[in-house]
Amino acid sequence: MNRVEWRTNRLLQGVLVLLLLSGTAVAQDGADILAELTEVLALTDEQIPQVQGLLEKFAGDMDVATAMTEVEEPDNQAIIGAIKKARADLNSGLKGVLDEEQFKTLETTIDAIFQEVFEDIAEIRLIDLEPVLDLTPEQTEALKPVLGTGMRDIIAVIFEYGDKRLNKR
């Protein structure tokens, strides 16, 4: 394996860890997530069991993707493909259960959560860079959303194309 393949593989593994952690959170905290969604989306009594079923299926699909990582040489592209399918199935199911306004609220909420996660990661990186770059606390705070958004955009591209086999040039 050459250096570019090695670095690509390591980056994909990092993306997988992040994606699997977000899926594992659904599996472990399903009741809490359902309670929060019920409040944020104003779910009806009819919608609650439907959303719960979709979350449980998603958690099961993420368990399958997690199991794919536990082999000696995991296929990162196949794992990302499984995660993408799980997310697509969840979104498709939710679109069938939620009305348009609820689904837009869900997308906005998820977007805000992911941005917060990446800003937290950026803050950790900036702690390491602060003394090296002689950053002020104000500069560090201003850089947090910029770095967080940049990392998030990189992960989005990797997730978008990570399950596709790339041809060598």
Side-chain angles (χ1 to χ4, degrees):
M1 179 182 309
N2 68 35
R3 184 168 167 71
V4 172
E5 289 172 333
W6 181 83
R7 290 186 75 188
T8 302
N9 203 23
R10 294 288 296 159
L11 194 52
L12 283 172
Q13 289 172 353
V15 170
L16 288 174
V17 167
L18 182 63
L19 293 171
L20 288 171
L21 286 175
S22 67
T24 302
V26 170
Q28 292 175 346
D29 301 325
D32 292 340
I33 290 172
L34 182 61
E36 188 171 337
L37 288 177
T38 299
E39 182 180 326
V40 170
L41 303 176
L43 295 177
T44 65
D45 290 341
E46 182 180 297
Q47 290 173 316
I48 292 171
Q50 293 173 314
V51 170
Q52 181 178 12
L54 291 168
L55 289 174
E56 288 171 357
K57 182 184 179 318
F58 178 71
D61 291 345
M62 291 303 292
D63 286 344
V64 169
T66 301
M68 294 170 70
T69 67
E70 296 170 359
V71 298
E72 190 170 323
E73 291 193 30
D75 183 345
N76 294 328
Q77 285 81 17
I79 297 166
I80 289 177
I83 294 168
K84 285 173 78 170
K85 182 177 180 338
R87 289 182 66 184
D89 290 350
L90 177 63
N91 281 340
S92 175
L94 288 171
K95 281 182 182 177
V97 172
L98 305 176
D99 64 36
E100 191 175 322
E101 184 178 323
Q102 287 174 315
F103 193 78
K104 283 182 183 177
T105 301
L106 175 67
E107 286 181 316
T108 302
T109 302
I110 290 171
D111 188 59
I113 291 168
F114 270 110
Q115 185 63 31
E116 184 179 321
V117 166
F118 280 102
E119 286 184 20
D120 288 347
I121 294 168
E123 185 173 27
I124 292 167
R125 278 300 292 143
L126 287 167
I127 288 170
D128 294 337
L129 294 173
E130 221 171 7
V132 175
L133 299 177
D134 197 29
L135 298 172
T136 66
E138 294 80 19
Q139 290 171 319
T140 301
E141 196 61 32
L143 282 171
K144 191 168 73 170
V146 174
L147 186 56
T149 300
M151 290 188 304
R152 182 178 176 189
D153 291 346
I154 290 169
I155 298 300
V157 169
I158 292 169
F159 187 68
E160 177 69 27
Y161 298 103
D163 62 331
K164 296 168 178 55
R165 303 286 178 191
L166 302 178
N167 294 327
K168 294 181 182 178
R169 292 185 189 217

